[in-house]
Amino acid sequence: QVQLVESGGGSVRPGGSLRLSCAASGISLSTYFVRWYRQSPGKEREFVARVTETSDNVLYTQSVKGRFTMSRDSAKNMVYLQMNNLKPEDTAVYLCNAWSLVGGLQDYWGRGTQVTVSA
């Protein structure tokens, strides 16, 4: 059974930092396209960052460039999202997604971790 479990969320003041983790079981994240998304109440799910299965070259949405850093630890089968200089508009549930077309569509999601940025 495949599971993605996010952790590391919390409440911080503007300018603060958090490091989110996504732990996988049942799949090897190094062979998947892995993405972070976020969702706020009343808003559509928003892409945040992604790393492909063949490269650690990371793509970020414009609003987080220079503040967020996504990384992968293949030995631990985990991905991370280091978030610095957090802003109130970063408040959301952050979700980890692993996606692959190898052997057919595989699309796995975690339940998310809440990030709240407020003064």
Side-chain angles (χ1 to χ4, degrees), residues 51-76:
V51 61
T52 73
E53 68 275 37
T54 59
S55 170
D56 283 337
N57 184 29
V58 185
L59 178 70
Y60 300 95
T61 192
Q62 185 63 38
S63 63
V64 308
K65 280 184 180 178
R67 301 188 298 123
F68 290 13
T69 303
M70 182 177 182
S71 60
R72 176 165 52 195
D73 186 331
S74 297
K76 294 182 178 180

